[in-house]
Amino acid sequence: MDAARARKLADRIQQVVAEMLERRIKDPRLGFVTVTDARITADLGDATVFYTVFGSEVDRAGTAAALESAKGIIRSEVGRQTGLRHTPTLTFVHDPLPDSARHMDDLFAVARAKDAEIAKRAEGADYAGEADPYRLEEAYDGEAGDDESADESERPGHRAI
């Protein structure tokens, strides 16, 4: 099966399922559901429909039960609208991606707040020592220039050969 055709078919299945959930399925257990993606196997035998539910775990469980009970009606409509000889079986899977993205956004917000707090503390702070704690070559040259009898081998960082 051509991958481009399979992707187009998966997109069409996603549209059909979304329309069915919006217009024809009137199950009271069905919460505020969004169809996020659909994927189909290469042999067009199985389609996986990913969805998210706005609400609590109870809403999520009720929506999963409603989708499972309406699977036959949705599958028959998918077969009618896609025109396939063999309609793929549908599997509904809760999509954890939006929950993960929300969790990541929360973590980023906490990190930004901590960075802002550290930057606020550092505004009026002074260095504990010198501004540049590293010694430069000029400092060594100045020390050797003061004492004419200093030997090159006595300078730090030089080895006597």
Side-chain angles (χ1 to χ4, degrees), residues 9-24:
L9 186 60
D11 289 342
R12 183 65 188 140
I13 290 172
Q14 180 181 352
Q15 291 172 352
V16 170
V17 171
E19 289 172 6
M20 288 286 296
L21 293 177
E22 184 179 341
R23 294 194 174 102
R24 291 198 40 206

Side-chain angles (χ1 to χ4, degrees), residues 14-153:
Q14 180 181 352
Q15 291 172 352
V16 170
V17 171
E19 289 172 6
M20 288 286 296
L21 293 177
E22 184 179 341
R23 294 194 174 102
R24 291 198 40 206
I25 307 299
K26 301 297 181 196
D27 194 327
R29 298 174 294 178
L30 195 63
F32 186 68
V33 63
T34 302
V35 178
T36 57
D37 194 16
R39 295 186 186 146
I40 193 163
T41 57
D43 65 352
L44 306 180
D46 297 310
T48 304
V49 178
F50 294 92
Y51 68 94
T52 61
V53 179
F54 182 74
S56 65
E57 280 297 321
V58 175
D59 296 333
R60 196 174 294 155
T63 299
L67 289 173
E68 208 49 46
S69 68
K71 187 185 288 189
I73 297 168
I74 296 171
R75 183 173 181 231
S76 65
E77 187 65 22
V78 165
R80 192 179 68 72
Q81 290 195 23
T82 58
L84 292 173
R85 179 178 294 165
H86 299 288
T87 304
T89 59
L90 299 178
T91 305
F92 291 98
V93 177
H94 180 262
D95 192 359
L97 187 65
D99 295 333
S100 299
R102 191 175 311 111
H103 178 67
M104 290 297 291
D105 285 342
D106 294 345
L107 292 176
F108 286 140
V110 168
R112 276 192 294 274
K114 286 185 179 182
D115 286 347
E117 180 184 331
I118 290 171
K120 186 177 179 182
R121 285 184 185 175
E123 275 180 13
D126 291 330
Y127 293 103
E130 298 177 19
D132 187 8
Y134 301 103
R135 299 185 96 187
L136 304 173
E137 276 301 314
E138 297 88 38
Y140 292 126
D141 291 341
E143 289 174 6
D146 293 341
D147 187 14
E148 294 296 326
S149 64
D151 188 8
E152 281 287 317
S153 63

